[in-house]
Amino acid sequence: MEPDRAFQDAAVILFREAFEGIPAGQNYTWFVQGKEGIFDALNSTDSSGASKQPTDRCTSLAAHAFHLLFTLRNANTSQGLPEPDGTWESSWSKEAVTESEWDELKTEIRQEYDLYIGWLSSNHEWNADESFEGLLAPLPHVAYHLGAMRQILKTI
């Protein structure tokens, strides 16, 4: 089954906006303002800021980043890549990072994102196991984390 190309293109645009923010030269946005995507959020603090928990009951920016990495790796299984290590729950377990861990984590998120967006934008051979819901499932999930990360950044 092949999704309508316009539907697939729209999914790519929205997924890119979540991670990259609004493209240069574009004067409108769907849900972020300017360069307020996930990559901007990750790059707007150092490891110390990323490791701070806003409250005892809230997770750190680093924990959200580790969970996003797990989410992207899980999404990339759609293109035949291996299952991510750990579990959904364990992807939240690391709250603090060193500067080198923070840099590595951001690099790994970018790599997994590049793999996913490349597949999402170019895949024309959908099989019966793939659904439109599966195609779009990561989008609201990462948008939620973007909002949470933006709120955390206000506290550090």
Side-chain angles (χ1 to χ4, degrees):
M1 166 176 45
E2 183 177 333
D4 177 84
R5 189 71 218 172
F7 173 82
Q8 191 172 0
D9 289 346
V12 169
I13 287 167
L14 294 172
F15 206 81
R16 278 196 171 120
E17 185 173 320
F19 278 86
E20 299 176 30
I22 186 171
Q26 185 170 305
N27 63 357
Y28 65 92
T29 179
W30 295 105
F31 61 95
V32 302
Q33 295 190 11
K35 286 297 199 183
E36 294 181 349
I38 288 170
F39 294 133
D40 180 59
L42 297 174
N43 289 324
S44 67
T45 191
D46 60 10
S47 63
S48 176
S51 299
K52 289 181 182 169
Q53 289 181 255
T55 70
D56 293 345
R57 296 172 30 148
C58 294
T59 57
S60 68
L61 189 70
H64 278 271
F66 279 111
H67 182 70
L68 277 174
L69 179 60
F70 181 88
T71 299
L72 286 167
R73 286 183 172 156
N74 191 52
N76 278 327
T77 62
S78 297
Q79 55 184 311
L81 294 175
E83 293 285 331
D85 292 335
T87 65
W88 192 262
E89 293 79 18
S90 71
S91 69
W92 288 100
S93 63
K94 189 161 171 70
E95 292 277 351
V97 289
T98 65
E99 201 62 41
S100 62
E101 288 173 326
W102 184 235
D103 290 341
E104 182 179 339
L105 179 57
K106 292 186 297 183
T107 297
E108 289 177 356
I109 289 170
R110 171 58 90 162
Q111 290 169 342
E112 293 294 329
Y113 164 79
D114 287 343
L115 285 170
Y116 188 73
I117 201 70
W119 172 82
L120 184 61
S121 62
S122 65
N123 185 26
H124 299 291
E125 298 182 24
W126 300 87
N127 63 45
D129 293 336
E130 296 165 332
S131 66
F132 294 138
E133 292 86 1
L135 168 72
L136 288 178
L139 181 60
H141 189 79
V142 300
Y144 162 79
H145 288 288
L146 172 59
M149 292 164 73
R150 285 275 164 222
Q151 294 303 308
I152 291 169
L153 285 169
K154 291 178 181 180
T155 70
I156 56 176

